[in-house]
Amino acid sequence: MPARKPLLSLAITVALFVASLGAAGGRASISPTDLREWLTYLASDELQGREIYTEGLGLAAGYIQTHLQEWGLTPRGGDRSYLQNVEVRSIKSTNRSSVTVRVGRETRTFTQDDGVSFPSNVGAARSFTVDRVEFAGYALDAPGANYSDLRGRNYEGAAVVFLGRSGPQVVDAEQSRRLLGGRGRWLTDQMKAAAAIGPAAPQQERRQSGTDGSANRPPRPDFVTAQRLDQPVSPSITAGDEFLEFLFSRADVKYADLKRRAEAREPLAGFRLENVSLTFTLDAEYEVLRTQRTQNVVAVVEGRDPQLKSTYVAVGAHYDHVGYADTELTSDNKRPSAPGRVTGGAEQDRIWNGADDDGSGTVALMAVARALAEGERPRRSVLLVWHAGEERGLLGSRYFADYPTVPLDKVVAQLNIDMIGRNRDNQASESNTVYLVGSDRISTELHDISIAANRALERPLTLDYEFNDPADSEQLYFRSDHYSYAAKGIPVIFFTTGLHPDYHANTDEVSRIEFPKLTRVTQLVYETAWRLANLDHAPARDFRGPRAGRGTRE
Ligand SMILES: [Zn+2]
């Protein structure tokens, strides 16, 4: 068939030309064609929704790994492997922790389930005394409602007590549910309090007075973790009336009065509890009931600067999603044990493809990896981690942060990409918008670098900081993998295009991805990483907390 020959050679010429274009690497090599090709596979039904511990997730890991090999990235998951084994342990905790309260010359000790309740994971066994005890009212920061108990306060090293299960009247309790639930964590993690003490929930108080009769049943895990258990954890505990009455017994304002005001959701001013100290004895025995295994995919692009190459810019995304429904439809068209929401009209669809969550970040990270590996090398090295088990509680990133394959103190920043392929709530007006979360919290310099990176793009995006607002009801800062790094003091930026009706629904599919936008956000992440990787110093960590918020756009 001679007629085909010229055609064939033309095809080869075109292929070589295209290959040479690709080989140039760099930001311009990030194209919607590749992103679409990769995502079409990763979010296909063949991968079964990429749930942790399933074949589907394994296929995704293999697919990413094959590409990394082809592009010549250095494996950094384990010994010459891209795969890092992640151990997820189910733990039975026997908690003997206690807290001793000293008020003036009087002391009383409250033990676990007898007046106070410690979390089942109290970290490493240790004992310490805190002499500075502060009452922080509702310990709520809600600038949206123009309310703050915490602004301008420094609680570093203090034990902070707060009241009010619903918060003050000026703050909508339902809207701020996540905010209220996160107060202890906010105080210990963000404000570096030595301990946080909140009011016990009513059912908790009841449970504290009884013992359960489950001795003959097989032990149930108290928590599941991928983290080390021998590290100190600042305790966030809850306390009943007896504890709080004693704690406030010498204060000018009595607990009964504070409690009444908290229940009426009236204003509660903070004050220091003079002559009060707390001694925490954290002591729990952890029995491993079960160890499950999954894998992070980890690679490095080595930097070209002889000194800076031993430091890293980390870029990450999670490659897992929530899986598929293994049950049949009931007669009333319900799907019991569906792993997420079922979109009306799509009841027959059994697979949660997670094209946006976080197939979009997974392929974006592949594009960044290739652009760096095939293009000009930056001075610093770039660490790329595809995390497993994000959907089950940031498991892969928590594991990596506790068992890093490069020294964490050499990681200058972490950029996390989770859901960057859509318009928030499907609004066309969002087509140029990407949300940045966390960028100003640890390093103002990092925040500024990301803004400059965006301005350098051919078509800059609108950077919106609404989800960085400390009062935002979604509290996204704590809800994806970057937080595992931020908790270690590493400056982070979380890139997302926001939530939409297909979030965690069986209709989060490739057909709904905005590929041109996905490409542009990926280029922004690349450009930000590139600038960080060429910086002669690590972005300064000034820990000034969230400032850009609702209404801030760049
Ligand atoms: Zn996600």
Side-chain angles (χ1 to χ4, degrees), residues 96-111:
R96 299 184 203 92
S97 298
S98 66
V99 54
T100 298
V101 186
R102 184 188 58 79
V103 180
R105 287 186 183 170
E106 262 186 284
T107 64
R108 281 189 63 182
T109 296
F110 297 85
T111 55

Side-chain angles (χ1 to χ4, degrees), residues 13-43:
T13 310
V14 169
L16 285 173
F17 178 66
V18 168
S20 74
L21 273 183
R27 195 176 83 211
S29 72
I30 298 168
S31 83
T33 319
D34 294 324
L35 294 168
R36 182 187 289 276
E37 179 196 319
W38 303 331
L39 190 58
T40 299
Y41 175 71
L42 287 166

Side-chain angles (χ1 to χ4, degrees), residues 1-17:
M1 307 262 277
R4 292 191 72 172
K5 262 189 180 162
L7 254 179
L8 193 63
S9 66
L10 177 67
I12 289 167
T13 310
V14 169
L16 285 173
F17 178 66

Side-chain angles (χ1 to χ4, degrees), residues 137-324:
Y138 295 96
L140 205 62
D141 212 358
N146 212 0
Y147 181 89
S148 181
D149 294 308
L150 306 175
R151 198 175 308 144
R153 303 275 176 172
N154 180 353
Y155 289 136
E156 189 169 346
V160 182
V161 186
F162 59 89
L163 292 176
R165 294 176 197 116
S166 314
Q169 280 161 22
V170 290
V171 182
D172 184 279
E174 190 43 44
Q175 258 179 15
S176 57
R177 197 171 33 86
R178 271 208 176 94
L179 223 52
L180 289 160
R183 287 178 288 180
R185 176 183 57 194
W186 185 267
L187 289 164
T188 56
D189 293 10
Q190 299 297 302
M191 301 195 78
K192 300 195 167 62
I197 302 159
Q203 67 270 29
Q204 206 178 334
E205 276 176 282
R206 258 181 271 123
R207 190 161 11 99
Q208 277 171 5
S209 54
T211 51
D212 64 64
S214 60
N216 295 323
R217 276 182 238 144
R220 279 174 155 235
D222 292 301
F223 62 96
V224 174
T225 185
Q227 287 182 281
R228 296 171 64 142
L229 293 167
D230 58 354
Q231 302 286 299
V233 174
S234 297
S236 177
I237 71 171
T238 59
D241 287 341
E242 222 180 309
F243 175 97
L244 293 164
E245 256 157 35
F246 182 60
L247 189 75
F248 286 98
S249 56
R250 297 271 187 99
D252 293 339
V253 192
K254 290 288 167 277
Y255 171 63
D257 188 35
L258 294 172
K259 185 185 177 185
R260 184 193 56 72
R261 295 173 74 94
E263 278 169 4
R265 305 181 63 198
E266 287 168 15
L268 273 182
F271 55 87
R272 182 167 176 168
L273 285 142
E274 301 293 344
N275 238 326
V276 175
S277 69
L278 296 170
T279 299
F280 290 88
T281 302
L282 305 175
D283 178 19
E285 194 184 303
Y286 305 117
E287 185 194 347
V288 180
L289 300 179
R290 185 182 192 200
T291 302
Q292 291 166 283
R293 285 166 170 263
T294 183
Q295 292 159 329
N296 289 329
V297 184
V298 188
V300 161
V301 176
E302 311 236 13
R304 65 178 150 82
D305 184 284
Q307 258 85 54
L308 290 178
K309 67 182 283 191
S310 63
T311 67
Y312 300 84
V313 174
V315 192
H318 72 89
Y319 75 105
D320 69 308
H321 193 53
V322 299
Y324 62 93

